[in-house]
Amino acid sequence: MSNWKLIDTGGTTRDLETFYNFKVRFAPGTGMAPLENLSTEFGLIDGGVMTHIRTPTRQFQLLGVITGSSVTALHTDRKNLINAVKPDRTACPLAPVVIQYVGSTCTLQASTHFDGGLEFGTSFSRGDELDVGLKFIQTDPYWETTVTASVTLTTSSAIADADYIIQRNASGMWQS
């Protein structure tokens, strides 16, 4: 069983290695989301001021091999993988492909859109193995956990005598 999974349109989670015989060897672009540092230049003097840091849409790849017991099995696995990621697999062509990674302390997932890699431009390294580089675009550049946790937040508190001035102490409590 591999660390990479795909959730199909019916909500079934399928292991890439077990179900599609796709063994991921490298996953460039799946780490920290890239950052863009934005600044505004000064008009009449040198330099500028840092104004914002944003995280743009990102691309990543799952590089690996599809291994089949025969050339026919290889093509069947490739066809099944195409059917799982192609845009017209649902009535809505903009429906995302959900990818999961199960190698950290918790399962992470990302809603992505398939961007190529199954065009048959790669080569057979042996008769039963096909090099594949699945490309995805991640419009929300952050990975999400599949578990949730709840915390009770205090939204208000009473301060006996504030005299119009209050301060927050080092432990985060408001006081007069």
Side-chain angles (χ1 to χ4, degrees):
M1 192 159 91
S2 73
N3 292 345
W4 294 97
K5 299 182 184 318
L6 194 133
I7 299 177
D8 69 12
T9 54
T12 304
T13 303
R14 301 193 188 277
D15 183 89
L16 283 177
E17 190 171 345
T18 305
F19 192 79
Y20 301 103
N21 289 320
F22 178 59
K23 182 170 182 63
V24 177
R25 298 190 191 272
F26 303 103
T30 58
M32 180 182 165
L35 300 175
E36 283 183 0
N37 294 308
L38 304 173
S39 62
T40 301
E41 299 295 319
F42 294 134
L44 298 174
I45 59 175
D46 296 333
V49 63
M50 183 70 153
T51 58
H52 187 69
I53 299 172
R54 72 180 284 272
T55 306
T57 296
R58 71 154 132 185
Q59 294 180 324
F60 69 87
Q61 284 188 296
L62 298 180
L63 304 172
V65 293
I66 298 176
T67 306
S69 56
S70 66
V71 174
T72 303
L74 179 72
H75 287 291
T76 300
D77 292 333
R78 183 176 166 277
K79 181 184 80 170
N80 291 338
L81 192 53
I82 288 171
N83 288 334
V85 298
K86 66 183 181 178
D88 63 347
R89 71 191 185 285
T90 65
C92 175
L94 298 178
V97 176
V98 180
I99 304 287
Q100 283 189 342
Y101 176 71
V102 192
S104 65
T105 55
C106 62
T107 300
L108 301 174
Q109 71 181 30
S111 293
T112 66
H113 296 278
F114 181 67
D115 196 37
L118 290 167
E119 296 84 8
F120 229 17
T122 56
S123 62
F124 287 95
S125 54
R126 291 191 312 265
D128 61 348
E129 193 171 274
L130 179 66
D131 294 322
V132 174
L134 301 178
K135 294 184 282 185
F136 296 94
I137 293 176
Q138 193 175 349
T139 54
D140 177 359
Y142 301 107
W143 289 84
E144 304 163 348
T145 63
T146 58
V147 296
T148 58
S150 63
V151 175
T152 303
L153 300 175
T154 303
T155 56
S156 63
S157 61
I159 299 175
D161 182 24
D163 295 326
Y164 303 105
I165 298 172
I166 59 173
Q167 71 178 7
R168 194 170 184 182
N169 63 22
S171 65
M173 299 299 294
W174 291 99
Q175 62 188 21
S176 59

